[in-house]
Amino acid sequence: MSNHIEDQLSAYMDNELSETERQQVEEHLNTCTECSELLKDLSEIRNQVFNVFHSVEAPEGFEDKVIHTIGLNVSKGSKWLLVPLISALCFITLTFVLAGSFLFKLGSIMLRVIYNLINVFGNILGSNTYIVVGSVVFSILLIIASSISIKHLIKTEEFRRANW
Ligand SMILES: [Zn+2]
């Protein structure tokens, strides 16, 4: 008999379940080691992903640099630069904020895709844990690799801006 709640765990972690569904999931988790282990693994993966995405932020001192540049330009008397610079600063900050939440959302979508893949692989391969674990590790590596390239992109962008 298979009354497991794997397909609800992701929604459970996202707080997307109704009150009744949430209670059912929690009741099941209290009695089923398999599902609570899975929840533990999923939260761990999610934390890893969150940490990676969280580290993709505006580099430290970035705003200071921009403000410093604005200050420099003002003291030089080129006040006409102030408006576009402030607009640029707002735009950059907004972009980082939006990119941050977008990346986080992207992260949880990816998690769901990976999770579904695990399910599919699990069903196809039965108890071939090695291949399932292998595909999970591969997916995580992919996520980390894409995070690093995004981070690299942002760094390059910042470098370019800081060297006007
Ligand atoms: Zn279960």
Side-chain angles (χ1 to χ4, degrees), residues 46-64:
R46 157 160 306 202
N47 283 340
Q48 292 300 323
V49 174
F50 179 77
N51 285 340
V52 171
F53 283 130
H54 195 68
S55 63
V56 182
E57 269 187 354
E60 218 170 292
F62 178 65
E63 276 172 57
D64 286 348

Side-chain angles (χ1 to χ4, degrees), residues 99-129:
S101 58
F102 171 72
L103 286 178
F104 189 61
K105 198 69 206 165
L106 194 74
S108 64
I109 293 168
M110 275 175 161
L111 260 186
R112 217 167 282 191
V113 172
I114 292 170
Y115 178 65
N116 286 333
L117 279 177
I118 297 173
N119 266 348
V120 172
F121 273 116
N123 287 337
I124 294 172
L125 302 165
S127 57
N128 200 335
T129 326

Side-chain angles (χ1 to χ4, degrees), residues 3-5 28 32 34-35:
N3 267 338
H4 293 306
I5 38 109
H28 181 84
C32 176
E34 238 176 278
C35 286

